[in-house]
Amino acid sequence: MRRPCACCERAEPGPLWITAETQSAGRGRRGRKWISVPGNLHASLLLIDPGPVRQWPQLSFVAALAVHDAVVEVAPDIRPMLELKWPNDLLLSGANSAAF
């Protein structure tokens, strides 16, 4: 397991976006691995005390809903091709196009 970034160790107050050009050691639910190639947005958001602990699991799905709505706003023609997959994926024509 990798150590958290220095800003996390210093308890930065956040919110703090951490971005990368590529991701070679991604981990998802149940330890699933993935690699993210250059040319896409790879980012993590550090939130300190984002709300009650019992609501933390919902944050990524709320983010997915917000991105879904933003995509539909700027590209309404693709709305029928978009769907959300629990807990945090935005699918376009059945393919994962974003994860939160």
Side-chain angles (χ1 to χ4, degrees):
M1 178 180 222
R2 289 187 168 183
R3 290 175 45 97
C5 70
C7 18
C8 301
E9 292 174 340
R10 288 192 309 265
E12 292 283 334
L16 174 69
W17 281 101
I18 302 167
T19 62
E21 292 182 13
T22 65
Q23 185 177 25
S24 59
R27 296 285 184 275
R29 294 180 57 210
R30 299 182 184 159
R32 293 185 176 121
K33 300 176 186 179
W34 73 84
I35 295 173
S36 303
V37 297
N40 293 309
L41 172 65
H42 313 295
S44 293
L45 175 60
L46 171 65
L47 296 173
I48 303 297
D49 192 24
V53 173
R54 70 182 182 284
Q55 293 178 346
W56 289 1
Q58 299 171 15
L59 291 176
S60 61
F61 194 66
V62 170
L65 285 169
V67 170
H68 173 278
D69 291 350
V71 169
V72 168
E73 184 72 26
V74 298
D77 293 344
I78 67 169
R79 182 183 201 132
M81 296 178 274
L82 288 175
E83 64 181 294
L84 293 170
K85 180 181 136 196
W86 182 261
N88 62 354
D89 294 328
L90 178 65
L91 307 179
L92 176 62
S93 297
N96 192 344
S97 61
F100 306 90

